[in-house]
């Protein structure tokens, strides 16, 4: 059974940085594409970033472009803003070379980790 577990969330001041990690375990597939999504209070979940196993290509939401960096198992978040406050979810899809921003294309999801950015 595939499990996806995020970690690294927390409280940070505006302008600070956090690094989220994602571990995909129990898988029988050797490669996977990864996506990060987030859900702020009272809002729908939205796309943040995605990448293929090789890292080419990577995709970013306009709101985080230039501030966030997605690696194979991490999401480095820099220059954080209060608008970045949300529960962040890691998602994986097996054996594919396609990075996608669509939730429905990801089969495996973590439970989420809270990121709070104070003014």
């Amino acid at each position: 059974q595939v499990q996806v577990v995020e970690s690294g969330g927390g409280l940070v001041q505006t302008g600070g940085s956090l690094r989220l990690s994602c571990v995909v375990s129990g898988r029988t597939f050797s490669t996977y594409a990864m996506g990060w999504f987030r859900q702020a209070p009272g809002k729908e979940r939205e796309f943040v970033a995605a990448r293929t196993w090789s890292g080419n290509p990577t995709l970013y939401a306009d709101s985080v472009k230039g501030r966030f960096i997605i690696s194979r198992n991490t999401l480095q978040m820099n220059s954080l803003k209060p608008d970045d406050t949300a529960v962040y979810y890691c998602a994986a899809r097996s054996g594919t070379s396609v990075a996608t921003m669509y939730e429905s294309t990801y089969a495996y999801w973590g439970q989420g980790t809270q990121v709070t950015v104070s003014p």
Side-chain angles (χ1 to χ4, degrees):
Q1 183 176 355
V2 177
Q3 289 188 319
V4 179
V5 179
E6 310 95 337
S7 62
L11 174 64
V12 65
Q13 291 184 331
T14 296
S17 298
L18 280 176
R19 175 177 292 181
L20 305 183
S21 296
C22 179
V23 176
V24 182
S25 62
R27 53 187 171 90
T28 59
F29 43 91
S30 57
T31 62
Y32 54 88
M34 175 173 288
W36 287 92
F37 296 78
R38 66 187 182 185
Q39 186 168 21
K43 295 186 178 180
E44 294 188 352
R45 190 156 57 184
E46 64 176 6
F47 169 75
V48 175
R51 59 164 280 156
T52 60
W53 177 260
S54 68
N56 183 23
T58 57
L59 303 176
Y60 294 95
D62 287 344
S63 59
V64 306
K65 201 171 293 183
R67 300 187 297 121
F68 289 13
I69 301 171
I70 184 171
S71 299
R72 184 168 289 175
N73 293 307
T74 62
L75 181 69
Q76 178 68 40
M77 306 185 296
N78 302 319
S79 301
L80 284 162
K81 307 173 182 179
D83 285 349
D84 295 318
T85 295
V87 177
Y88 283 72
Y89 298 90
C90 175
R93 53 197 299 256
S94 63
T96 177
S97 60
V98 176
T100 168
M101 59 186 293
Y102 302 107
E103 291 185 39
S104 60
T105 62
Y106 292 89
Y108 309 104
W109 289 81
Q111 80 290 347
T113 185
Q114 177 70 47
V115 171
T116 302
V117 184
S118 63

